[in-house]
Amino acid sequence: MLKKITPIIAVMSILVLFSACSSGGGLPESQRLVGPSRMNMRSGNMYMNIQEFDNALERYLEVVKENPENIEALKIIGDIFFHYAEENPSKAKEYYTDAHIYYGRAIAAYIEIKELGRFPNLKDRVDDAQLRKMACWARLFNLGQRLYSEESYDIAIQSFYDLAELAPDSTKTYIMIATIHQIQDNNEKAAEYYYRIANQDDKDIISRTNLAAYYFNMGNYAEALQWYNELIRVAPDDPENHYMKGIVLMNMELLEDALQAFEAAHRVDPEFTDAVINAGMIAYSLNDTAKTIKYYRLAHELEPEVQEWLIYLLHSLNVAEQYEELMKYGMILYELDNTSIDAVSAVYIAATQLGQTEVERRFLNILQRLGQ
């Protein structure tokens, strides 16, 4: 959370006190004012004390024209523009932008000289400039968000473009730009900004999720796979990332790899039903009987009313010659649907193999009644 910004009026006396020592011998050469610049600084401070900001601004701008790295003048110019923005909502964007620029110049000038000594007075000014610069960014961002909430997308996106140019390191700004592009069905442009976010932040999930989805929807599965792998690197405990990787691999017809991805999703979330079902389906396609049995048994436990999972399970149990299990799950399916040929056949086969003649005769009769 940003610290509270001290109102500009409350700091006027501090500005004048600081100005009194700004031309002294304790500061580096770039911060010393002589001749007209010194007079303009004093005049600017005088106008500040009586709250004639326009006249003060004119004097301080003259100071930085001759002394472009003078931290005190740059900082106060930023303060004046910040004050203008607070007092003039209709021109807030323009004034906050100007304030942000001058605070940035003050900070940059301090970075150039800070190795020469501590200069505590300058550091205090720059610390406050840093806070105010952040406040400018926050207010400009909020202006863009307000336009976004009003669905003024063209104006909002231009506002965020301007903010991105002003502060190019903010991933939040790029997220808003990308989001608006998506709303406007400009997915290619949105992907461009998600790339920027991903390159700036190697742990950002939003950008990677959207890039993975973008390439998946395009049918570019190889690129989608790379981004799902990135998501798994960043968020390995999210089962959805493993699951979607499995879906991509299925579309690439890499079934063994897809099976591993679905199994990973299941390990992360044992109740992830879709991952279990897809693992069973692929295992069945690969003739991996053991895994087919494992995953369709789990699918039945998760969705006990779904007959399809029981049918696949019965077929695999029969192939594996696991007749006691075949009997058990055949009876379960029969209880769900006493007209199911799969259920009756499974129980009949199991009874035959287990030597349960009474059950065998009973279910043979049922088969005959069902026309088999």
Side-chain angles (χ1 to χ4, degrees):
M1 180 180 295
L2 294 176
K3 291 184 179 179
K4 183 178 180 181
I5 301 299
T6 305
I8 189 170
I9 305 304
V11 299
M12 297 308 157
S13 60
I14 298 176
L15 297 178
V16 176
L17 286 172
F18 183 67
S19 176
C21 65
S22 65
S23 60
L27 297 176
E29 188 66 31
S30 64
Q31 303 304 308
R32 297 178 187 175
L33 301 178
V34 296
S37 292
R38 186 173 182 179
M39 292 299 299
N40 277 320
M41 177 65 81
R42 288 180 174 176
S43 296
N45 290 338
M46 179 193 71
Y47 283 120
M48 287 290 280
N49 276 332
I50 59 176
Q51 301 181 30
E52 291 189 10
F53 301 118
D54 292 348
N55 287 328
L57 178 61
E58 183 180 345
R59 278 24 177 223
Y60 292 127
L61 288 171
E62 287 297 319
V63 173
V64 298
K65 185 185 296 184
E66 298 295 326
N67 304 269
E69 295 182 352
N70 185 269
I71 293 170
E72 182 183 0
L74 291 168
K75 165 65 167 60
I76 302 171
I77 292 170
D79 288 342
I80 293 172
F81 281 125
F82 192 96
H83 172 71
Y84 284 168
E86 298 284 276
E87 296 297 316
N88 298 275
S90 64
K91 300 183 70 176
K93 179 183 174 183
E94 174 188 340
Y95 288 135
Y96 282 130
T97 299
D98 289 338
H100 190 283
I101 291 170
Y102 278 96
Y103 288 139
R105 287 179 60 181
I107 294 164
Y110 180 71
I111 292 172
E112 291 294 319
I113 68 168
K114 70 176 181 178
E115 299 301 326
L116 301 177
R118 292 184 61 205
F119 309 116
N121 286 336
L122 285 180
K123 184 178 184 306
D124 290 344
R125 309 301 293 154
V126 171
D127 285 346
D128 189 57
Q130 185 67 59
L131 288 174
R132 287 175 174 267
K133 182 184 175 187
M134 292 169 61
C136 289
W137 181 92
R139 284 163 169 77
L140 289 168
F141 188 84
N142 289 339
L143 285 172
Q145 281 197 314
R146 178 175 58 78
L147 292 167
Y148 171 80
S149 67
E150 294 171 354
E151 300 184 4
S152 301
Y153 297 128
D154 290 338
I155 303 173
I157 201 168
Q158 185 58 55
S159 181
F160 286 119
Y161 272 135
D162 294 341
L163 186 54
E165 185 175 346
L166 190 65
D169 294 333
S170 170
T171 58
K172 290 183 178 180
T173 305
Y174 292 140
I175 286 173
M176 292 305 302
I177 292 173
T179 299
I180 295 172
H181 278 307
Q182 282 184 307
I183 291 172
Q184 297 177 325
D185 292 326
N186 192 350
N187 292 318
E188 184 177 355
K189 199 68 177 176
E192 175 187 328
Y193 280 89
Y194 283 128
Y195 261 115
R196 295 191 187 190
I197 298 164
N199 288 334
Q200 284 187 218
D201 186 347
D202 66 356
K203 294 183 179 179
D204 182 77
I205 292 175
I206 294 175
S207 60
R208 286 162 173 79
T209 299
N210 280 280
L211 285 168
Y214 170 69
Y215 284 110
F216 179 81
N217 292 332
M218 284 182 62
N220 187 341
Y221 299 123
E223 194 72 25
L225 178 61
Q226 291 186 30
W227 287 106
Y228 281 118
N229 281 330
E230 270 287 288
L231 277 169
I232 290 169
R233 178 186 65 80
V234 175
D237 294 331
D238 186 341
E240 189 70 25
N241 297 333
H242 297 281
Y243 176 77
M244 285 305 302
K245 177 181 177 179
I247 296 294
V248 171
L249 289 164
M250 281 181 64
N251 281 279
M252 298 173 74
E253 299 184 1
L254 299 172
L255 297 186
E256 292 183 356
D257 293 336
L259 176 57
Q260 292 179 13
F262 291 129
E263 288 182 309
H266 168 63
R267 283 194 297 272
V268 175
D269 180 2
E271 296 185 358
F272 195 158
T273 305
D274 287 343
V276 169
I277 292 167
N278 278 285
M281 180 176 66
I282 294 177
Y284 188 83
S285 298
L286 294 172
N287 296 316
D288 188 333
T289 303
K291 286 190 175 180
T292 302
I293 292 170
K294 172 184 176 181
Y295 287 109
Y296 277 122
R297 184 186 283 123
L298 287 169
H300 167 66
E301 291 173 2
L302 292 168
E303 295 186 344
E305 300 302 317
V306 178
Q307 296 182 31
E308 184 180 356
W309 316 147
L310 285 168
I311 292 171
Y312 280 113
L313 178 57
L314 292 176
H315 290 173
S316 298
L317 288 169
N318 188 36
V319 170
E321 299 181 353
Q322 296 183 21
Y323 297 117
E324 290 185 359
E325 291 288 289
L326 185 63
M327 173 72 77
K328 172 185 173 182
Y329 287 101
M331 291 299 295
I332 290 173
L333 180 56
Y334 182 73
E335 290 173 4
L336 289 173
D337 180 6
N338 61 12
T339 66
S340 168
I341 299 297
D342 292 289
V344 176
S345 298
V347 175
Y348 171 73
I349 292 169
T352 301
Q353 295 298 322
L354 295 170
Q356 297 184 17
T357 55
E358 183 177 341
V359 176
E360 180 185 349
R361 284 195 298 269
R362 176 189 169 197
F363 277 82
L364 177 59
N365 290 332
I366 296 172
L367 275 174
Q368 292 172 343
R369 288 201 304 273
L370 293 172
Q372 298 296 314

